[in-house]
Amino acid sequence: MSTLTHRVALVGAFCAAVCASADVARAHPAAGQTVTVTNPSPPGQAVTQTTGTGVISGVVVDSATGEPIPGAVVYISASGQRRIGQQSRQITDSRGRFAFVEVPAFEQISVSASRAGYVEDEPSAPPGLSSPGDISLPDGGWVSNVRIGMLRLGSVGGEVLDEAGEPVVGVTVRVLALVPIAGRERLAAGPSTKTDDRGRYRVANLRPGRYVVNVPSVQASVPLGATSAIVGGYTDERIATARSRGQTVTIPNEQALETDVARLMLGSFPLPPPRVGGEVRAYPAMFHPAATARAEAAAIDLAAGDHRAQVDVRLVPVGAVPVTGRVDGPPEALAGLTLRLLAAGQEELGVGSETATALVASDGTFAFALVPAGRYTLEAPVGFSEYQFSMPGPFARPIGAPPGNLGSSSFTDDVETGPPGARISTTRFGTARTMAGRTTIVVGDAPLTGVVLRLQPFGRLDGRVQFEYDPTVEKPAQPPFVILRAEPVDGSPALGLLRESTDREDPSRPFSFQGIQPGAYLVRGSAGQWRIKSITAGGRDYTSAPFDFTTTPAFDDVVVTMTNVPTSLSGSARDARSAPAVGVRVVVFPVEREQWTHYGMSPPRIRSALTNNLAGYRIEGLPAGDYFVAAIPASIRSWRGEGAAFFERIARSARRVTVRWGEPATLDLLATEVAR
């Protein structure tokens, strides 16, 4: 028996033991643990299961402690196939070990893991661990030292108390994350809960990171004469349409308090405290421990597996005054319009982060019943975008749309310029609008009257997609449609993220972005194997340049050219001793320094990859151009949130390469440290 055959036989025996433990775990999960086994392929879809002679084995460990993690589910995949080899998933044994046998040869095999209470660590190489990127497995090969790092999730908990030290029951508590995105720290929405009958709360499954704890308090006002139908967003036309279709219309009957200027809707927020000496008071949004402003909140640095208790929030009532005014716009733009009042530091967050909302009356007048003193952004939106930072899966929004808005549509995208777990969510309210407005107001100790918010038409971008085929390249099927996005150039979600798609039957038909707020936007797109080659309008190149809607309200005949011509950059990395540098991070970025900032949310010219078990790397799909390429320690996990200063540092030791359409580029690298 050959040495390789003998080793494969041993691994096969170990795999059988692991598979047996997997069966036991499925039948008898540990106490408090839920084991879910899913079908690896959609119903009715044939699975092509290939087998080979290779072996992949390794261990799943806790990145913070180095201890093995039993009961983790390990997956392998390659080249878009969800199932390769004899098995596509296993459960680690009591020592965190796994082994896949009869694995076919692939240049890029991905290995990942999941376990309740953990999140897979961003691939890194701390001391004692070797965490390569995709694995290169030759026919009959054995990669035996794969280590997958995972981080234990944490939690925060505490009490919500009022000014008398009494517990506050049934109010919403949110955990907001401070995450580096596109070169600056931003506030991102996280998970939430409500206080129990003792005023206590606990939010679990938190990734390692920096957080602030917030008790929102939204003073939602509607006109004094508003009916329940108007408050619920039901116009007479909408009610008639629903009834003509045989649909039942259920109009909510919300509880409210009458004030001198408006009705104050009651929800899952702290109720306004009684008057003191004739002064009207309200509970503003509060941050741990007792801060009324985001800038004064105490940040919590949560390490892996941290469980922080006594993160209490003390509610402090403050004086509040009415704010009244009118919206300047056509009558059709006023129907069902709701204004948002956002305190400084919270302008980039969505519903539930307002200090107050106000439903506009049919004559354009509005009134906020209770507003604490401070500086605010007043806006008339059609929806909102916000960053989120949480575990994968659906994001539960604790607070619904403000009064006057019925129904909404939303989509979520990963944020390529932020850490794992960061994404951006965009919600559009059900009422179609063509105008919006934004202004700044300052509220003092006296009622503020005569505020005017002027609505302005949205910007527009109309264009078409054309496809450029290269006859020397295998021609993929024309995509059924192309998804395009208009991203704010500075990465701010306050301007909104817009998404459009071309016609499914004919992708070359025109597309149109509507509802663009004043600002600068970059157009990005994807369509399977196709990538954007160029974007032009009016004889100007906008491939990497933004469309500025602060000076130009509309752009016509924008041509997006997509190509099937591939690009690739590959090579290997070695360390200072000329040894193969396994598991280092290769970062590719443009030589043009103006593209090191203001590159939106998904820059196609900033990419990275980890070197594999052979110290090789490969990056596909880069647009043609000149690039810097650097190999840096994978332990620098925050690189995606860094800005120009970071690229300036690594450019000092980077090599330069030119990527051309249809010409594979190669570049070998020397792994270096990054000076601070």
Side-chain angles (χ1 to χ4, degrees), residues 499-520:
R499 178 192 280 181
E500 288 294 325
S501 61
T502 60
D503 189 273
R504 290 181 178 269
E505 300 298 328
D506 183 3
S508 62
R509 289 181 181 174
F511 64 85
S512 179
F513 283 101
Q514 303 285 338
I516 302 179
Q517 299 185 56

Side-chain angles (χ1 to χ4, degrees), residues 20 68 109 136 219 221 254 286 292 347 351 368 379 386 517 545 582 595 599 616 621 633 652 661 667 672:
I109 297 178
S136 177
Q219 310 296 332
S221 301
E254 303 287 352
M286 300 296 299
T292 58
E347 301 91 343
V351 166
F368 294 98
E379 67 173 16
E386 67 177 359
Q517 299 185 56
V582 175
Q595 295 186 34
Y599 44 64
R652 298 168 191 167
W661 297 108
L667 187 68
T672 60

Side-chain angles (χ1 to χ4, degrees), residues 76 98 146-147 176 189 221 243-244 364 497 523 555 560 584 596 651:
I76 61 172
F98 63 89
V146 177
R147 290 175 178 259
L176 305 175
S221 301
R243 288 176 175 169
S244 67
L497 174 68
V523 173
F555 291 86
V560 177
V584 299
W596 294 359

Side-chain angles (χ1 to χ4, degrees), residues 161-166 168 271-274 276 281 283 314-317:
L161 307 171
D162 64 14
E163 67 274 22
E166 294 295 324
V168 183
L271 294 175
V276 175
R281 300 188 301 167
Y283 288 120
R314 178 66 67 95
L315 302 186
V316 179

Side-chain angles (χ1 to χ4, degrees), residues 568-572 617-619 664-668:
S568 66
L569 173 63
S570 60
S572 62
Y617 72 93
R618 183 179 182 86
I619 297 175
T666 60
L667 187 68
D668 294 332

Side-chain angles (χ1 to χ4, degrees), residues 108 123 132-134 569 583-588 607-612 616-620 630-632 634 639 669:
Q108 292 179 295
D134 289 341
L569 173 63
V584 299
R585 188 181 306 282
V586 176
V587 179
V588 182
R607 302 278 296 280
S608 87
L610 290 176
T611 56
N612 62 19
Y617 72 93
R618 183 179 182 86
I619 297 175
E620 297 180 332
I632 65 175
W639 79 271
L669 304 169

Side-chain angles (χ1 to χ4, degrees), residues 352-373:
S353 301
E354 306 92 347
T355 295
T357 66
L359 180 62
V360 178
S362 58
D363 61 356
T365 59
F366 66 85
F368 294 98
L370 298 174
V371 180

Side-chain angles (χ1 to χ4, degrees), residues 213-215 284-298 312-316 346:
V213 174
N214 166 242
V215 175
M286 300 296 299
F287 295 86
H288 166 73
T292 58
R294 151 68 191 93
E296 300 169 359
D312 301 338
V313 181
R314 178 66 67 95
L315 302 186
V316 179
Q346 297 183 245

